[in-house]
Amino acid sequence: MTSQPSTKVAILGAGRGGTALLDLLHQIRSIEIVGITDRNPDAAGLHRARELNVPVYARVGDLVANHGITVVMDVTGDPAMERSLPQLVAPGTDILSGSASRLLWELVQHEAMLQAELLHAEKLAGVGSFAAGIAHDINNPLQLILGLAENLLDEQDPDQVRAHARDIIEAVKRTTAICRDLTSYSRRASSLQDSAVAVNAKLDEALKIARYAVGLHDIELRRSYHPDATVVGNPDELLHVFVNLITNAVQAMEHGGTLTLESAVDDGATVIRVSDTGCGIPPELLGQIFEPFFTTKPPGKGTGLGLYNIKNVIHRMHGTIGVQSEVGVGSTFTVTFPLDATDRSARA
């Protein structure tokens, strides 16, 4: 089967519309962005293009002239540009401008909003599945507080009163930490600019969250971390990726097993692996697991959106996710992020 030729796109305008188009089209493998231009050399989209290794042009004519471009997307909103473009582009090149480009901008915005809502809904559904673990972890310190408070009613020894008070304070702190972890996880992802994220700390944070959903008492945990493993992205979304992968791994090991978390810096990339020794995934299902609403879990145990959502998050961060699995042996999910994006962010 022959692959389809890529669609070569030129973007005119690097403001909000051009930046949004850049981020969206960059995720689609069948589209090649040949370049972007803007009259403002400090436009945000030009900085974003350099991060993505997309060529930046100073002049429209240089961009649209001889690159085999199939589509020119004009989001400048400049009527003069709309009138002059047909004389600049090669014959047979499609031009998207004016009201058509505004419609595309609205569709891009709508798609981004839907993706964010879908991710948030799936996170909330996950928190709902944590209910039993949360109740257990909160009930224990509450019972301790109750017992200590009852003892204080009849306690006369000042030293014992102080000791009970210290124990109550520690129990309240543990309960507060549980609530803080869950509040942080269930909130909507921040809209702040992507930043460098320490992978190892985020994996450990995800492990704390995941234990509310799945018991880890029969699970052997192994960590193998590279001390400098860092990626650029949204910290809240990256946490969700790791929580989902860890939760799935533990759920695959109903009768115990080994959970392995790894980070590495290798061949120009940061690599994260989450491995289990669970039931494995049948070969005929491997091609479907990242599709929306596909799940191998029984009704009520999964939304079918977890892997679909994290695939989208990883692609937005310009990374990739793959899986190796053998039935009865276990599975390894590998997430790879290019190091060059991290280096550019650090220098910015």
Side-chain angles (χ1 to χ4, degrees), residues 178-207:
I178 293 169
C179 296
R180 183 174 59 247
D181 289 343
L182 292 170
T183 300
S184 173
Y185 176 66
S186 62
R187 71 188 177 194
R188 294 179 186 274
S190 66
S191 58
L192 299 177
Q193 188 174 6
D194 290 352
S195 59
V197 182
V199 167
N200 303 337
K202 198 58 66 174
L203 280 168
D204 288 340
E205 184 181 352
L207 191 64

Side-chain angles (χ1 to χ4, degrees), residues 65-334:
N66 298 302
H67 302 279
I69 293 169
T70 50
V71 181
V72 174
M73 294 185 172
D74 173 21
V75 289
T76 61
D78 182 358
M81 178 69 70
E82 188 176 350
R83 289 191 297 270
S84 62
L85 266 180
Q87 286 75 46
L88 296 174
V89 303
T93 304
D94 292 325
I95 299 174
L96 198 64
S97 61
S99 58
S101 67
R102 286 192 293 273
L103 175 61
L104 180 63
W105 160 247
E106 291 174 1
L107 290 174
V108 168
Q109 292 293 96
H110 185 63
E111 192 269 349
M113 181 191 70
L114 289 178
Q115 289 286 357
E117 292 293 334
L118 197 60
L119 179 64
H120 185 58
E122 196 258 328
K123 286 170 67 174
L124 291 180
V127 171
S129 70
F130 297 177
I134 297 168
H136 178 269
D137 278 46
I138 289 181
N139 187 61
N140 284 345
L142 287 179
Q143 290 298 318
L144 175 62
I145 291 170
L146 177 62
L148 292 170
E150 289 174 342
N151 290 340
L152 284 175
L153 289 175
D154 300 318
E155 184 58 64
Q156 301 297 320
D157 183 354
D159 291 336
Q160 279 297 104
V161 171
R162 282 192 289 271
H164 286 351
R166 284 192 296 269
D167 289 340
I168 288 173
I169 290 170
E170 288 303 312
V172 171
K173 286 181 178 178
R174 287 200 298 275
T175 305
T176 301
I178 293 169
C179 296
R180 183 174 59 247
D181 289 343
L182 292 170
T183 300
S184 173
Y185 176 66
S186 62
R187 71 188 177 194
R188 294 179 186 274
S190 66
S191 58
L192 299 177
Q193 188 174 6
D194 290 352
S195 59
V197 182
V199 167
N200 303 337
K202 198 58 66 174
L203 280 168
D204 288 340
E205 184 181 352
L207 191 64
K208 287 170 57 182
I209 300 296
R211 69 185 177 87
Y212 296 121
V214 286
L216 299 178
H217 51 278
D218 294 326
I219 302 297
E220 178 186 353
L221 176 63
R222 295 178 181 174
R223 294 182 177 95
S224 177
Y225 290 167
H226 189 289
D228 300 321
T230 306
V231 300
V232 172
N234 185 303
D236 297 337
E237 292 186 348
L238 193 64
L239 175 63
H240 177 68
V241 168
F242 293 160
V243 168
N244 195 293
L245 291 177
I246 291 171
T247 300
N248 286 349
V250 176
Q251 288 176 337
M253 298 183 287
E254 291 186 6
H255 307 293
T258 302
L259 171 67
T260 303
L261 305 180
E262 300 174 82
S263 66
V265 177
D266 182 43
D267 195 25
T270 297
V271 181
I272 301 100
R273 296 184 183 89
V274 178
S275 305
D276 64 73
T277 56
C279 57
I281 304 168
E284 64 272 15
L285 299 182
L286 281 175
Q288 304 176 58
I289 61 174
F290 294 107
E291 297 299 319
F293 305 111
F294 177 83
T295 180
T296 58
K297 298 175 184 177
K301 296 295 184 181
T303 63
L305 292 171
L307 289 175
Y308 169 74
N309 275 328
I310 69 172
K311 178 195 69 173
N312 288 335
V313 169
I314 291 166
H315 284 181
R316 280 198 296 275
M317 294 172 60
H318 316 296
T320 60
I321 181 169
V323 58
Q324 291 180 310
S325 187
E326 185 176 344
V327 174
V329 177
S331 304
T332 297
F333 283 83
T334 302

Side-chain angles (χ1 to χ4, degrees), residues 53-65:
N53 288 325
V54 172
V56 172
Y57 287 80
R59 296 190 302 176
V60 173
D62 294 338
L63 170 57
V64 302

